[in-house]
Amino acid sequence: MGHKIILALIFLSFLTFCLFKVIKNKPEYLLLLGIRGLFSLLFIQFINYLCSLNQISSVVAANPVSLATGAFLGIPGIVLLYASKIYLL
């Protein structure tokens, strides 16, 4: 295994452990994450719709990564996704 895969597995296991601890203590947080993720996807679709009306190509797609970013970080996470995509183009 490459070192990047090992680091990713360590990070994902730590993230899973922390998320399990938070959800075990506050189960309503899982509902909050779901609602924030749903609203973030709706926000991304709205921005992509506005871009398509103005013949601008959309740079962020609705996928599991953008769902997770929107669920954990909210609107600043979505802005971060758009800013990083525009900067990397």
Side-chain angles (χ1 to χ4, degrees):
M1 280 187 161
H3 67 281
K4 290 182 181 180
I5 294 174
I6 293 172
L7 285 175
L9 287 174
I10 291 171
F11 175 73
L12 286 175
S13 62
F14 178 73
L15 183 66
T16 304
F17 175 74
C18 290
L19 189 60
F20 176 73
K21 283 294 200 178
V22 168
I23 290 173
K24 184 178 177 185
N25 293 336
K26 294 184 175 183
E28 66 272 1
Y29 192 68
L30 186 62
L31 179 65
L32 176 68
L33 284 177
I35 291 172
R36 284 175 61 177
L38 178 69
F39 278 120
S40 68
L41 286 180
L42 290 174
F43 187 65
I44 288 173
Q45 290 297 331
F46 178 70
I47 291 174
N48 289 343
Y49 175 71
L50 290 178
C51 289
S52 69
L53 287 178
N54 295 321
Q55 285 94 24
I56 301 172
S57 65
S58 61
V59 292
V60 175
N63 56 30
V65 174
S66 60
L67 173 75
T69 304
F72 284 108
L73 299 176
I75 298 296
I78 301 301
V79 171
L80 178 71
L81 283 174
Y82 276 99
S84 64
K85 285 286 193 169
I86 291 172
Y87 178 73
L88 292 174
L89 289 178

